[in-house]
Amino acid sequence: MKKASPLLLILLVLFNICCGNKSFDLSTIVVGSDEKKYDLQNKNIFLQDVSKDKKTVQYYADENKGIQYGNIPLSHEMGTRITVYKGKIGAVETYADEKHSLDFVRKIVQQKGKPVAGLTEKVNLDPIQAKDIVEQLQKVDFGKTQWNGTGGRSFTYPSAFFWNDGTNYSILSIAIENDGRIRNKYITLSREAYINNAVFGMKYPAPVQSPWYQYMK
């Protein structure tokens, strides 16, 4: 038997490295679709927790190692949670890396379109720092970002978007700190998983004080 050439061996090693480092793209997951379409049982990425009745499986990636959303890096501090209910994707919850928060907001809004509801907050920032944030948000916020007064430090921005397509709910939260740090959280969930209280942190029916009460009955 002929020995493989050194060049061929190098190519094989590089191929294996590339295949082994292939990341899991969270943006490909469709809520309501069959769990079997995705490699959620890949133990190199996810840990799992099965409910006592076997109907619900929670998949966790605590540090988001090997996971991204499209080409956007995710937070290594907050991680990702995927809920499977009765064999279907019931919910996806994740957080973008802080340095890419605005890119993440833009990507989600482009995918979802105009929200059915939203919230706003006010924040004070250094004018130079605020200018770039305001300009980026104004491209995707549907008129929610506005300067307050003439001081150039305070502005109102969209702190949450809510979408309801009749089958699934999606909520994108945005928090801008006074030091300019931007954090966000994104969760999208099926109504079926929600009304059966299968999604961690989401209670059905929504409490009256929730801003989404009238939309998640």
Side-chain angles (χ1 to χ4, degrees), residues 48-51 54-59 82-85:
Q48 63 175 324
D49 181 24
V50 183
S51 64
K54 310 295 184 182
K55 292 181 180 180
T56 304
V57 182
Q58 302 279 353
Y59 290 93
I82 300 173
T83 301
V84 172
Y85 180 66

Side-chain angles (χ1 to χ4, degrees), residues 29-93:
I29 294 183
V30 177
V31 173
S33 61
D34 194 326
E35 171 196 12
K36 295 178 181 178
K37 295 174 62 176
Y38 313 99
D39 190 21
L40 299 181
Q41 296 186 13
N42 185 337
K43 293 182 173 56
N44 292 323
I45 297 179
F46 297 105
L47 300 174
Q48 63 175 324
D49 181 24
V50 183
S51 64
K52 292 182 179 179
D53 61 9
K54 310 295 184 182
K55 292 181 180 180
T56 304
V57 182
Q58 302 279 353
Y59 290 93
Y60 308 92
D62 289 337
E63 297 179 357
N64 280 323
K65 290 182 179 179
I67 301 181
Q68 62 178 7
Y69 195 98
N71 61 347
I72 298 175
L74 300 176
S75 170
H76 294 306
E77 297 179 1
M78 301 304 295
T80 289
R81 179 196 304 268
I82 300 173
T83 301
V84 172
Y85 180 66
K86 292 184 177 180
K88 295 182 179 180
I89 302 298
V92 177
E93 176 185 331

Side-chain angles (χ1 to χ4, degrees), residues 8-188:
L8 179 59
L9 290 173
I10 292 173
L11 291 174
L12 287 172
V13 170
L14 291 175
F15 176 79
N16 288 331
I17 290 174
C18 291
C19 291
N21 290 339
K22 186 177 180 181
S23 62
F24 186 93
D25 187 353
L26 204 62
S27 70
T28 63
I29 294 183
V30 177
V31 173
S33 61
D34 194 326
E35 171 196 12
K36 295 178 181 178
K37 295 174 62 176
Y38 313 99
D39 190 21
L40 299 181
Q41 296 186 13
N42 185 337
K43 293 182 173 56
N44 292 323
I45 297 179
F46 297 105
L47 300 174
Q48 63 175 324
D49 181 24
V50 183
S51 64
K52 292 182 179 179
D53 61 9
K54 310 295 184 182
K55 292 181 180 180
T56 304
V57 182
Q58 302 279 353
Y59 290 93
Y60 308 92
D62 289 337
E63 297 179 357
N64 280 323
K65 290 182 179 179
I67 301 181
Q68 62 178 7
Y69 195 98
N71 61 347
I72 298 175
L74 300 176
S75 170
H76 294 306
E77 297 179 1
M78 301 304 295
T80 289
R81 179 196 304 268
I82 300 173
T83 301
V84 172
Y85 180 66
K86 292 184 177 180
K88 295 182 179 180
I89 302 298
V92 177
E93 176 185 331
T94 195
Y95 303 76
D97 180 273
E98 289 183 17
K99 294 180 181 179
H100 301 271
S101 290
L102 292 179
D103 293 331
F104 187 71
V105 170
R106 183 165 56 249
K107 191 174 190 70
I108 296 297
V109 172
Q110 287 174 346
Q111 289 177 343
K112 296 291 184 181
K114 188 173 182 178
V116 298
L119 303 175
T120 59
E121 293 286 345
K122 293 181 180 179
V123 66
N124 292 313
L125 286 181
D126 174 87
I128 297 177
Q129 190 177 40
K131 183 175 183 294
D132 180 60
I133 294 175
V134 169
E135 288 178 350
Q136 291 194 58
L137 283 176
Q138 285 178 334
K139 296 176 182 178
V140 296
D141 70 353
F142 307 101
K144 300 293 184 182
T145 302
Q146 300 176 2
W147 290 103
N148 303 320
T150 58
R153 287 183 173 273
S154 174
F155 68 94
T156 299
Y157 71 93
S159 59
F161 291 129
F162 179 88
W163 292 270
N164 177 359
D165 65 8
T167 303
N168 304 321
Y169 304 124
S170 299
I171 302 171
L172 174 62
S173 302
I174 309 166
I176 302 178
E177 309 292 339
N178 289 329
D179 60 3
R181 296 176 67 185
I182 306 174
R183 303 177 184 179
N184 52 38
K185 172 184 176 181
Y186 176 64
I187 182 169
T188 180

